[in-house]
């Protein structure tokens, strides 16, 4: 089970940290990813982190502003978002997944319910 928290209303330029709490285990799904879906838009990938926390990846639009991290002792993955922009407004979801070597892609198998981030201009 994945539960997101930390969303809210902020002004442009401010910061926010989202948390994804995992419980019940995620099996072999050792990556945690963050995704977002803006109103009327498709869900898009934001960032991911592997089990150890040493491998991270970001979509280019957030690479210099967002930081993903994890604390396996607390079973949480955080997404620190700085210099927020109105275009970052979206429902943010965390997901647990794995890399499928056979098809060379990540498969996201467990999803949270999402947390809303609204950035006002």
């Amino acid at each position: 089970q994945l539960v997101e928290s930390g969303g809210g209303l902020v002004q442009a330029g401010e910061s926010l940290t989202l948390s994804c709490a995992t419980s019940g285990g995620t099996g072999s799904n050792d990556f945690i990813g963050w995704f977002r879906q803006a109103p009327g838009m498709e869900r898009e990938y934001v960032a991911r982190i592997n089990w150890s926390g040493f491998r991270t990846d970001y979509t280019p639009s957030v690479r210099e502003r967002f930081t993903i991290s994890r604390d396996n002792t607390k079973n949480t993955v955080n997404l620190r978002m700085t210099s927020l922009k109105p275009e970052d407004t979206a429902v943010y979801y965390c997901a647990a997944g794995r890399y499928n070597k056979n098809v060379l892609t990540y498969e996201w198998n467990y999803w949270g319910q999402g947390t809303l981030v609204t950035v006002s201009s």
Side-chain angles (χ1 to χ4, degrees):
Q1 183 180 9
L2 304 175
V3 179
E4 303 92 339
S5 63
L9 172 63
V10 296
Q11 293 187 335
E14 294 185 339
S15 301
L16 203 60
T17 298
L18 305 183
S19 291
C20 174
T22 66
S23 63
T26 56
S28 61
N29 297 281
D30 54 356
F31 283 86
I32 297 294
W34 282 97
F35 296 77
R36 65 187 180 185
Q37 186 167 19
M41 305 292 285
E42 293 187 354
R43 186 156 52 190
E44 67 170 346
Y45 163 77
V46 175
R48 68 174 178 262
I49 190 168
N50 73 331
W51 173 254
S52 70
F54 289 121
R55 289 173 57 191
T56 60
D57 182 75
Y58 302 88
T59 194
S61 64
V62 309
R63 184 167 292 135
E64 301 301 320
R65 302 183 294 120
F66 292 9
T67 303
I68 190 171
S69 62
R70 70 188 302 163
D71 184 344
N72 290 332
T73 64
K74 298 181 180 179
N75 294 325
T76 59
V77 173
N78 292 330
L79 184 69
R80 175 67 174 168
M81 307 184 295
T82 65
S83 302
L84 283 162
K85 305 175 182 180
E87 51 263 45
D88 294 317
T89 294
V91 177
Y92 283 71
Y93 300 89
C94 64
R98 57 186 283 269
Y99 183 69
N100 188 326
K101 297 179 180 179
N102 294 324
V103 294
L104 304 180
T105 189
Y106 289 87
E107 298 174 338
W108 301 101
N109 299 309
Y110 299 93
W111 291 85
Q113 293 302 307
T115 185
L116 176 63
V117 173
T118 303
V119 184
S120 64
S121 58

